[in-house]
Amino acid sequence: VCPTLSNESPDFTTCEDSLGQSLSVDTDVSDIDIEFYIFGSQQGDPYVGGGTQLGTAVTPVGTTATSNAGIAGLTPGTYYAYAVLDLDDPELTDPQCRPFAEIVITIDEPADAGADNNTTVCDGTIVDLSTLTSVGGGSFGDDDATGQLTGSMFDTSGLSPGTYNFTYTVQSGNTCPEDTALIMVTVDTQADAGADNSTTVCDGTVVDLSTLTSVAGGSFGDDDGTGQLTGSMFDTSGLAPGSYEFTYTVGPGNQSCPDDTALITVTVDEKPDAGPDVAVVVCEGDIIDLTTLVAVMGGVFSEAVPTGALKMDVNFDTSEVGPGQYEVIYTVNSVNTCPDDEAIITITVDQAQIIN
C-alpha cells in the first residue's frame, strides 16, 4: 500500500520564525507515520536528505498528520517544508513508495529602528534627531508634546531644563510589525552673566564690582591688566584717568553649555587739585595778590571768616583788618564725579611800625 499525501497546509508568509506554526497534511493511510522536513531550496526528491527535521515523526489522527514543532531559528528568506513518509515505519512495505507534499514558507525581514539613544545639549540648540539613529527611513513622535519638533529637527529654545523623549518608528513594509527606538534629549540651562554694566568713580575709590552685576557666582577678569583687582574689589588709587574693563564670567554648571560673560566698565575720573596749603606773613596795610600764592589756577577764593578784606575776588587788603591771623580758602571745583578740592592760605598780618 502506498499512501497519498494531499491537502497540505497552504503556503504562508510570516515575520517571526518562532511562533510555533503547525504544519499538516492529509493521508489516506493513517497507519504510517509522517515526518516534516525543511530545506533552504526547493527539492525534487526530499527523501534524499539534507533537510532539517521538524520535531519527530507524527502519527496521523484520523486522516491528518500535524507537526507542532514550529520553525524556530530561521533567518529571513524563502524555505520549503516537506511532508514525507517515515521510511522506518514497519507498516510501510513498498520500498518504492515516496510521496511528498510541499509547503512554501516565507520569513519576512523584521523592522529595525536601531538602538535607543540619548544626548545632552544646551538650551537653544536645534537637534537633528536623525543623527541619533542608526537606521534611516523612520519618523519621530513628540512624546512630551513640546510642540517644537518639525520632522527630525527639535528646537530646544525656551524649553525648561529637563529630559524630553521622542519615539522613532520604522515601518517594516511587510507582514512584520513596526519597530521603535527611544531617543532622549536632555536640555541643560544656559549660563547667564547678566547684562553689561558701567559706572564712573573718582580716583582712589575702591569699587566692589559685584555690585554692578545682576547674577552672583561668577568671577572677574582684569582685562586691562591694572593689577589692582582682588576678587571683586577694584582699587582705583593712582590709576590714570580713563575707562577700565573687566569681564565677568559665569559658568553654566553643566557640561553642555558654554560660559556666559558680561562686560563691566569702570571710568576713573581725575580728582581736582587745589595745590598745597600756603602760609604767608605780611605787614599791616599790604595788599596781597592771592593768585601768586597758589600752584594751580582756575579756583576761587573765599574767607573762612568774612572780614571784608577780600577784594575783587583775588586780592586780600590787610588794611581792612588788624594784626592777626586770617584764613582764605582756595577751592578748585570738580567737573566730574570727584569732590571739590581746597587749599588753605594762612595770612599772618603783623602790626605796622609807627615812626615818630
Side-chain angles (χ1 to χ4, degrees), residues 27 51 56 71 96 102 134 142 164 198 242-243 249 252 264 272 275 287 293 295 298 309 320 350:
T27 177
T56 59
I71 51 173
Q96 302 301 316
E102 179 186 83
S134 57
D142 188 358
Y164 297 88
S198 64
S243 292
T249 302
I264 306 299
I287 297 175
L293 301 177
E320 296 288 340
D350 285 344

Side-chain angles (χ1 to χ4, degrees), residues 25-311:
V25 67
D26 286 349
T27 177
D28 55 0
V29 179
S30 60
D31 293 338
I32 299 176
D33 291 347
I34 304 297
E35 295 177 333
F36 291 84
Y37 287 84
I38 192 163
F39 295 82
S41 60
Q42 193 171 31
Q43 302 296 303
D45 181 4
Y47 286 93
V48 298
T52 300
Q53 185 173 1
L54 300 177
T56 59
V58 295
T59 301
V61 176
T63 60
T64 302
T66 302
S67 169
N68 294 312
I71 51 173
L74 299 180
T75 59
T78 300
Y79 298 87
Y80 298 85
Y82 292 92
V84 298
L85 302 179
D86 179 5
L87 299 182
D88 294 326
D89 192 314
E91 299 295 329
L92 180 61
T93 58
D94 183 355
Q96 302 301 316
C97 185
R98 296 291 188 271
F100 63 86
E102 179 186 83
I103 304 166
V104 180
I105 302 171
T106 301
I107 306 295
D108 277 342
E109 182 84 31
D112 180 15
D116 295 345
N117 205 353
N118 64 83
T119 190
T120 300
V121 299
C122 190
D123 174 26
T125 303
I126 296 176
V127 185
D128 184 352
L129 299 179
S130 67
T131 63
L132 300 174
T133 63
S134 57
V135 177
S139 60
F140 294 92
D142 188 358
D143 297 0
D144 296 312
T146 65
Q148 295 187 214
L149 176 67
T150 303
S152 67
M153 307 306 289
F154 172 44
D155 187 353
T156 66
S157 302
L159 291 177
S160 300
T163 298
Y164 297 88
N165 296 328
F166 302 88
T167 296
Y168 180 61
T169 303
V170 174
Q171 304 293 336
S172 68
N174 50 42
T175 62
C176 296
E178 64 189 24
D179 190 39
T180 61
L182 181 63
I183 306 299
M184 295 176 288
V185 179
T186 298
V187 178
D188 277 341
T189 305
Q190 285 188 346
D192 180 15
D196 296 345
N197 205 353
S198 64
T199 191
T200 301
V201 299
C202 187
D203 176 25
T205 303
V206 177
V207 184
D208 184 353
L209 299 180
S210 67
T211 63
L212 300 174
T213 63
S214 57
V215 178
S219 60
F220 294 92
D222 187 358
D223 297 0
D224 296 313
T226 65
Q228 294 187 215
L229 176 66
T230 303
S232 66
M233 308 306 290
F234 172 45
D235 186 353
T236 66
S237 301
L239 290 177
S243 292
Y244 297 88
E245 294 184 342
F246 303 88
T247 297
Y248 181 59
T249 302
V250 174
N254 54 59
Q255 299 298 314
S256 338
C257 299
D259 295 341
D260 190 39
T261 61
L263 184 64
I264 306 299
T265 304
V266 178
T267 299
V268 178
D269 280 344
E270 185 175 17
K271 287 181 178 180
D273 182 13
D277 295 343
V278 178
V280 64
V281 179
V282 298
C283 185
E284 182 182 4
D286 288 346
I287 297 175
I288 305 163
D289 182 354
L290 297 175
T291 62
T292 64
L293 301 177
V294 296
V296 178
M297 295 295 104
V300 294
F301 298 94
S302 62
E303 291 186 89
V305 178
T307 64
L310 184 62
K311 306 295 185 180

